Amino acid sequence: MSRLGDLIRTERLRAKMTPKQVAKKCGVSESFITAVEAGTRIIADDQARRILKTIGVREQTEVDFSLDDIAATVDLATVQPAMAKAMTQKPKQPEAEKVAATEKEQGGMGSVWLDALSSVIKRVPVMNAVMKPTGYRLIPVENGKIQGANPDKVFYFTAPDDSMRGFRIHRGDVVFVVPAQSPVDGAVMVVEYNQHRCLRKVKKLDSFTVLLQSYDREYEAVTLKLNEISFLGRATRLEIEL
């Protein structure tokens, strides 16, 4: 199967529709739908979206991820058993009423996807300098981890200024952060001191003292005791906008 075929079949099963029912609503033959699902027939993107819309899938989920984003990020063949399980499990009352209301509000799409994909994909927040989410990104989960860390603990951090541009991190750039509460020598870390959260390159001086380095127009460094700093995480990857 193709990823698109997997996606259409998964959503058709979720909607409890047969290929014949989908074909009738779309004005095509049943063999056309089965061929698309099998990946033996290539169709245009707009035609695929019309089929998905007919099944009842909105183009966007409640977290503003497109169907293309999801299909390109995960292996839908792996997800299908989880989707089936998510759809067959019935929540207990009074949660059933709450879930029904939520799915009606969201078009029945986003919550099912994110619940079913929770073991293979994670909605990771993009944090600003006051640690408030400004957006989210989808990140694959491998063996229950993201870059070896708990998926619930990782986050993105947006550089609030140009204080690290000497280290190739400019204002507005985004770094991926894994949890770390202790200084990592030579690493760029998200730190908090003097009621200020920022990115700094860390150098361990001894067991109790670190040097926090920055580089805007010129190199600067401040020496602090460990009890004067909170370490929020270690930056492992830089993402920039072109």
Side-chain angles (χ1 to χ4, degrees):
M1 286 188 181
S2 66
R3 286 186 181 276
L4 177 58
D6 281 344
L7 180 59
I8 290 175
R9 181 175 183 275
T10 297
E11 288 305 313
R12 176 177 61 77
L13 293 174
R14 181 191 65 79
K16 299 180 180 179
M17 297 177 68
T18 66
K20 185 176 182 178
Q21 289 173 323
V22 175
K24 185 176 180 180
K25 285 193 172 186
C26 294
V28 298
S29 66
E30 181 180 353
S31 60
F32 178 91
I33 296 298
T34 55
V36 171
E37 291 185 358
T40 59
R41 178 147 191 163
I42 306 300
I43 61 174
D45 182 69
D46 59 343
Q47 191 172 21
R49 290 186 180 279
R50 282 198 298 272
I51 294 174
L52 288 167
K53 186 177 180 180
T54 299
I55 296 172
V57 178
R58 298 187 309 161
E59 181 174 343
Q60 299 287 329
T61 71
E62 80 274 25
V63 290
D64 296 326
F65 292 121
S66 70
L67 298 173
D68 289 341
D69 291 335
I70 295 174
T73 307
V74 301
D75 184 351
L76 291 172
T78 302
V79 173
Q80 284 178 358
M83 283 291 295
K85 183 178 180 181
M87 293 308 301
T88 55
Q89 288 179 336
K90 294 183 179 180
K92 297 179 180 179
Q93 293 290 349
E95 287 299 318
E97 296 179 3
K98 185 186 297 184
V99 170
T102 301
E103 289 196 353
K104 181 178 180 181
E105 179 182 349
Q106 297 171 347
M109 168 59 186
S111 60
V112 173
W113 264 114
L114 293 180
D115 288 344
L117 298 177
S118 60
S119 63
V120 294
I121 195 168
K122 180 65 178 176
R123 179 176 177 247
V124 177
V126 180
M127 300 294 194
N128 59 17
V130 295
M131 299 307 288
K132 297 294 184 182
T134 60
Y136 296 87
R137 298 189 182 184
L138 290 174
I139 302 295
V141 178
E142 298 181 5
N143 299 319
K145 303 286 186 179
I146 295 180
Q147 294 196 14
N150 184 332
D152 294 326
K153 301 295 184 181
V154 300
F155 61 93
Y156 282 95
F157 184 79
T158 304
D161 50 41
D162 284 326
S163 62
M164 293 293 286
R165 66 179 178 177
F167 297 106
R168 298 185 298 175
I169 303 175
H170 294 250
R171 179 179 181 179
D173 290 347
V174 176
V175 296
F176 183 78
V177 181
V178 297
Q181 283 71 52
S182 300
V184 179
D185 192 39
V188 173
M189 304 189 71
V190 180
V191 300
E192 180 178 355
Y193 67 98
N194 293 337
Q195 299 182 330
H196 177 61
R197 295 184 189 90
C198 58
L199 290 166
R200 290 293 182 266
K201 188 169 184 179
V202 176
K203 180 176 178 58
K204 296 176 66 174
L205 299 180
D206 54 43
S207 299
F208 306 99
T209 313
V210 296
L211 192 69
L212 298 184
Q213 306 168 83
S214 61
Y215 202 135
D216 189 349
R217 290 181 171 78
E218 59 183 28
Y219 173 82
E220 294 183 6
V222 56
T223 302
L224 296 171
K225 298 293 184 182
L226 290 182
N227 59 10
E228 298 177 305
I229 317 167
S230 293
F231 296 93
L232 305 184
R234 175 173 60 91
T236 63
R237 185 171 68 239
L238 170 66
E239 298 183 10
I240 62 176
E241 295 290 340
L242 297 179

